[in-house]
């Protein structure tokens, strides 16, 4: 009965899954010492040969997650020839899923890692959008993938957040007549800037609802049609000066507007 043994963990990705399974299994055997050696990114037959060379087959078990069918078969054959016990963690799962779904797997390595990377990029983009929302810090303009400009209540913030969930770092800048425009807006490439316009009658209704929710006086300039027309005219002139594309947000869903923004940015870049 073995008192000490080695577990060789091989993976064409980082190998965390195989390591966790191997460790959880080994811990079930009390009064036995073991050591795990992990070999990530095993993507060639030469790498397999290098790892297996010189293994003491009496005290080693190989656990692997390799989705490439040819490489997995090569590893399995070599283990058999060297009389090294082995466990292919992925294959039983893939076989069962294949039968259940009646379709073949992509056999693409590192899928979980890519999903994790995508998740953290999305979190970073959302944090970026919150940090630089509504012109809080104009320095974000130079770091952004997309810069949205428009008057108050033209859907800049919800559009920024939606785009952030698509992994875009977005800054939105309110355009207020009489207020200084951030100088960074003229330093960044115009290909990153998208102007948002909206029909004045729709805008006044949106602002009136906002005023009602906040419990403020509905007679303020914020909902004055004259002031709104002045704001929109000022915004339009500034957008022409910058030379950026403009999207009409009137009655547009955020999802629809986001798709337009992405299409424009991709075309321009």
């Amino acid at each position: 009965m073995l008192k000490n043994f080695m577990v060789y963990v091989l993976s064409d990705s980082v190998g965390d899954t195989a390591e966790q399974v191997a460790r959880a299994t080994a811990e079930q055997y009390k009064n036995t010492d073991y050591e795990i050696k992990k070999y990530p990114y095993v993507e060639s037959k030469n790498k397999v040969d290098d790892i297996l060379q010189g293994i003491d087959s009496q005290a080693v078990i190989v656990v692997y997650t390799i989705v490439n069918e040819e490489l997995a078969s090569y590893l399995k054959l070599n283990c058999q020839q060297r009389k090294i016990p082995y466990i292919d963690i992925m294959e039983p799962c893939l076989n069962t899923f294949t039968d259940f779904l009646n379709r073949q797997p992509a056999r693409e390595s590192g899928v979980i890692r890519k999903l994790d990377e995508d998740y953290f990029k999305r979190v970073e983009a959302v944090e970026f959008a919150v940090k630089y929302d509504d012109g809080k810090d104009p320095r974000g303009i130079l770091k952004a993938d997309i810069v949205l400009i428009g008057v108050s209540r033209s859907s800049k913030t919800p559009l920024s957040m939606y785009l952030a969930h698509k992994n875009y770092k977005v800054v939105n800048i309110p355009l207020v007549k009489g207020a200084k425009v951030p100088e960074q807006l003229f330093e960044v490439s115009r290909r990153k800037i998208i102007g948002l316009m909206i029909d004045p009658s729709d805008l006044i209704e949106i602002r009136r609802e906002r005023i009602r929710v906040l419990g403020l006086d509905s007679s303020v300039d914020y909902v004055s049609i004259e002031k709104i027309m002045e704001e929109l005219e000022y915004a339009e002139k500034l957008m022409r000066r910058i030379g950026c594309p403009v999207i009409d947000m009137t009655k547009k869903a955020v999802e629809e507007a986001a798709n337009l923004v992405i299409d424009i940015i991709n075309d321009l870049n």
Side-chain angles (χ1 to χ4, degrees):
M1 183 174 65
L2 285 174
K3 291 291 185 180
N4 300 280
F5 67 98
M6 299 283 299
V7 181
Y8 276 43
V9 170
L10 282 68
S11 175
D12 51 12
S13 185
V14 293
D16 288 347
T17 300
E19 181 183 9
Q20 288 171 8
V21 172
R23 193 176 300 280
T25 304
E27 286 293 333
Q28 295 299 315
Y29 298 89
K30 306 304 180 184
N31 303 316
T32 304
D33 293 326
Y34 69 93
E35 181 182 347
I36 292 179
K37 279 193 172 183
K38 185 168 71 172
Y39 297 89
Y41 308 115
V42 178
E43 298 175 336
S44 70
K45 293 178 181 179
N46 287 337
K47 183 73 172 178
V48 169
D49 291 339
D50 290 342
I51 294 168
L52 297 185
Q53 197 169 33
I55 282 183
D56 178 3
S57 60
Q58 298 302 309
V60 170
I61 185 168
V62 170
V63 179
Y64 61 94
T65 50
I66 294 178
V67 295
N68 180 283
E69 199 166 10
E70 182 181 357
L71 190 58
S73 297
Y74 182 79
L75 174 58
K76 177 180 177 180
L77 179 61
N78 272 264
C79 286
Q80 290 172 341
Q81 290 173 344
R82 297 168 185 265
K83 294 183 170 42
I84 302 171
Y86 61 88
I87 302 170
D88 182 347
I89 292 176
M90 290 295 294
E91 197 62 27
C93 294
L94 287 171
N95 289 340
T96 301
F97 271 71
T98 297
D99 291 341
F100 176 67
L101 298 172
N102 194 29
R103 58 188 296 189
Q104 293 300 313
R107 291 193 175 272
E108 178 184 349
S109 63
V111 174
I112 296 298
R113 184 177 75 254
K114 290 174 185 176
L115 289 174
D116 287 343
E117 289 172 355
D118 185 67
Y119 169 77
F120 286 115
K121 284 180 181 177
R122 185 162 60 251
V123 170
E124 184 182 2
V126 170
E127 290 176 346
F128 186 93
V130 171
K131 181 178 180 179
Y132 296 110
D133 180 45
D134 206 30
K136 289 176 185 173
D137 185 349
R139 291 175 298 181
I141 293 173
L142 302 179
K143 305 174 186 177
D145 300 317
I146 300 172
V147 180
L148 302 177
I149 59 175
V151 299
S152 174
R153 313 314 294 175
S154 57
S155 296
K156 297 186 304 301
T157 294
L159 187 52
S160 294
M161 294 304 166
Y162 189 92
L163 288 166
H165 280 87
K166 296 289 186 180
N167 292 356
Y168 290 94
K169 292 182 178 179
V170 186
V171 167
N172 73 79
I173 303 296
L175 301 181
V176 181
K177 187 177 181 181
K180 185 179 179 181
V181 178
E183 59 186 25
Q184 292 88 345
L185 204 56
F186 301 100
E187 297 173 6
V188 73
S189 170
R190 69 182 65 180
R191 292 179 296 181
K192 291 185 177 183
I193 304 174
I194 303 287
L196 305 181
M197 291 295 287
I198 185 170
D199 183 83
S201 58
D202 276 46
L203 181 58
I204 196 170
E205 290 302 319
I206 293 170
R207 288 190 176 182
R208 280 174 178 166
E209 178 60 20
R210 178 66 172 168
I211 287 294
R212 187 192 67 79
V213 170
L214 294 176
L216 300 177
D217 184 358
S218 61
S219 65
V220 295
D221 284 347
Y222 187 66
V223 291
S224 160
I225 187 63
E226 292 82 9
K227 292 294 182 181
I228 284 176
M229 293 299 295
E230 288 179 10
E231 285 184 52
L232 291 173
E233 183 180 355
Y234 165 73
E236 187 176 13
K237 286 180 179 178
L238 183 59
M239 291 172 194
R240 283 202 303 267
R241 178 183 167 193
I242 293 171
C244 64
V246 177
I247 294 177
D248 184 358
M249 295 296 296
T250 307
K251 300 190 185 306
K252 269 193 178 60
V254 171
E255 298 84 352
E256 180 186 0
N259 288 333
L260 284 173
V261 170
I262 292 170
D263 287 344
I264 291 170
I265 293 296
N266 288 340
D267 288 343
L268 291 177
N269 294 279

